Amino acid sequence: MLSLVRRHIRLSKVELTRLTSLAPQTITTIVNRMADQGLLTRLTPLRNKLGQPSTPYSLAHDGAYSFGLSISRNMAAAALVNFLGEPLDFETTTFEFPTPAGVMNFAKSFIENVSRKRRGLISGKVAGLGIASPFYLKNWAGLDDARGSVLEEWRRIDIRAELDPLFEWPVYLYNDAIVSAAAELIFGAGLGINDFVYAYIGQEVGGAVVLDHHVFPGSGKLAGSLGSMPVLLEGKDGCQVSTLGEVGSLSGFSRTLGLAPESLLDDDVWLRGGEALDLWIDAVSTGLAHVARSIVALLDVDNLFVDGSFPVHVRKGIARETRRKLMPFVFERQNSFSVMEGSFGKNAPTIGAASIALLVKYSNGKDVLFKD
């Protein structure tokens, strides 16, 4: 019921009866119980010319809450979101390179402060803590000896297991790109779209696949790893095979600029990108167009979302150029193909992490939707 109401924004008992094929009495019992529990809000009745007024229901913004924590190569971010995915509190911290102890201390401090400040609001309503982390973090290469010792710490620790005993609610850990797609699916522009491929461009390039309005993580929770997909790039010596991760990652772009990866956290750097930025957008969009054609041929989806840890004007440029390069291919399809911008930018992994607990507790229970 909650999944249907979330997807359609608002539904009446009559509409829920039609969508579920359950008996009207059953729908009434369930909806009334969820309203009494504070999960649904009764809206103003809609009065038509004929029959009784219809009362729609929507999700209650204060029906449940969830914490999210995201970890990247240069920073960590934490958020508390409500049932609609709206951030009530958000905090970031930067690192030269994140250590397990530093990330855990940041997360504990944030959760303790927010829980104390909002005790009366969220007490008994927290669904859990979700952690978004690149699964390749402990294998990052190209680091000096000092950072190499930090990588060894990450290899020895399970951050989910370390944080789980500290709280009364469950703690989950998922790949950052997959949870970013989850945020788009239940809180963003993907809410009303059944199937789409999601690309997230951060220090590395990741992605996810959404089928039948459910994120499909795969057996290893790495389905949709777009960064490893091959792409063809035209050069002076003809076409060369590369991967989307090699041409599109922010770590690669920062090397091109001769800057440290953390410098790209500054929006002014992007404004001064000039020709280098234009060339990078061209390469990323070319790679995304190749990847989109491959995925469409395999899965027959009609939508690609593009998001990443960069300003809005960069996201618009990548989406526009990808759309242009896919235009000849779009004309060949029976159904139209859309390239859309993501909704959350650099905050997507954190909002997505917070979505995990809400999905587990309040989804319609399909195994492919974040179920262990």
Side-chain angles (χ1 to χ4, degrees):
M1 296 292 184
L2 293 172
S3 296
L4 285 171
V5 174
R6 183 181 294 280
R7 191 181 311 178
H8 293 273
I9 310 301
R10 59 185 65 198
L11 287 173
S12 67
K13 292 176 182 176
V14 172
E15 290 169 321
L16 281 166
T17 299
R18 175 175 53 81
L19 289 170
T20 63
S21 299
L22 295 175
Q25 298 90 336
T26 302
I27 292 293
T28 296
T29 298
I30 296 173
V31 169
N32 288 346
R33 185 170 69 242
M34 289 193 294
D36 292 341
Q37 292 173 347
L39 296 173
L40 291 179
T41 297
R42 295 180 178 90
L43 303 178
T44 303
L46 302 175
R47 300 186 180 276
N48 301 315
K49 294 181 179 179
L50 299 175
Q52 294 294 320
S54 173
T55 302
Y57 290 79
S58 67
L59 296 182
H61 69 277
D62 59 351
Y65 300 88
S66 181
F67 285 100
L69 169 68
S70 65
I71 308 166
S72 67
R73 186 164 181 162
N74 308 112
M75 65 179 293
L80 172 73
V81 306
N82 64 16
F83 208 19
L84 303 183
E86 299 165 337
L88 304 182
D89 293 275
F90 200 100
E91 185 177 337
T92 63
T93 185
T94 57
F95 304 94
E96 183 180 1
F97 190 76
T99 65
V103 170
M104 287 190 289
N105 288 336
F106 166 71
K108 288 187 288 185
S109 175
F110 175 83
I111 293 171
E112 289 169 0
N113 292 338
V114 170
S115 297
R116 183 170 54 253
K117 180 177 69 173
R118 298 187 179 272
R119 181 178 294 111
L121 176 68
I122 68 176
S123 179
K125 293 185 177 181
V126 176
L129 164 66
I131 305 171
S133 172
F135 284 177
Y136 44 75
L137 184 148
K138 58 187 178 183
N139 296 316
W140 272 333
L143 301 174
D144 56 32
D145 292 339
R147 292 183 177 185
S149 64
V150 176
L151 288 181
E152 187 58 35
E153 291 181 44
W154 282 108
R155 292 190 181 101
R156 294 197 306 263
I157 198 169
D158 181 344
I159 193 169
R160 190 209 68 80
E162 294 290 330
L163 289 174
D164 187 63
L166 303 179
F167 309 109
E168 60 186 19
W169 16 261
V171 178
Y172 306 90
L173 172 66
Y174 277 88
N175 173 262
D176 51 355
I178 286 182
V179 300
S180 297
E184 198 65 55
L185 172 64
I186 70 169
F187 298 139
L191 187 61
I193 300 176
N194 287 335
D195 308 297
F196 61 86
V197 174
Y198 178 89
Y200 190 83
I201 301 169
Q203 289 300 320
E204 307 296 334
V205 178
V209 178
V210 172
L211 300 174
D212 192 24
H213 212 79
H214 287 76
V215 178
F216 181 77
S219 59
K221 299 182 176 64
L222 288 172
S225 297
L226 304 187
S228 61
M229 293 190 67
V231 298
L232 289 176
L233 298 178
E234 294 183 4
K236 296 179 180 179
D237 300 324
C239 290
Q240 297 181 339
V241 178
S242 184
T243 66
L244 184 59
E246 289 171 346
V247 302
S249 69
L250 296 189
S251 56
F253 182 49
S254 65
R255 287 194 297 271
T256 299
L257 297 177
L259 299 172
E262 55 267 25
S263 65
L264 296 182
L265 298 174
D266 183 357
D267 286 355
D268 288 342
V269 172
W270 293 96
L271 294 175
R272 300 191 301 267
E275 183 181 2
L277 176 59
D278 293 338
L279 292 173
W280 181 74
I281 289 176
D282 181 66
V284 173
S285 57
T286 298
L288 282 171
H290 278 289
V291 166
R293 292 194 62 171
S294 299
I295 292 175
V296 168
L298 180 66
L299 298 177
D300 193 27
V301 297
D302 298 320
N303 305 281
L304 169 68
F305 277 93
V306 179
D307 210 344
S309 185
F310 33 62
V312 173
H313 76 276
V314 177
R315 184 174 67 205
K316 287 184 179 296
I318 294 173
R320 181 183 62 248
E321 287 302 302
T322 304
R323 200 178 296 120
R324 184 179 65 81
K325 290 170 182 176
L326 279 171
M327 190 64 67
F329 164 68
V330 170
F331 283 133
E332 299 172 3
R333 283 183 55 79
Q334 181 177 357
N335 301 323
S336 60
F337 186 87
S338 299
V339 179
M340 293 170 284
E341 297 175 47
S343 306
F344 301 103
K346 62 184 178 182
N347 295 333
T350 315
I351 303 300
S355 76
I356 300 174
L358 297 177
L359 284 168
V360 170
K361 190 169 184 179
Y362 298 108
S363 74
N364 61 3
K366 278 196 175 182
D367 289 340
V368 294
L369 188 59
F370 292 129
K371 296 294 185 181
D372 293 324

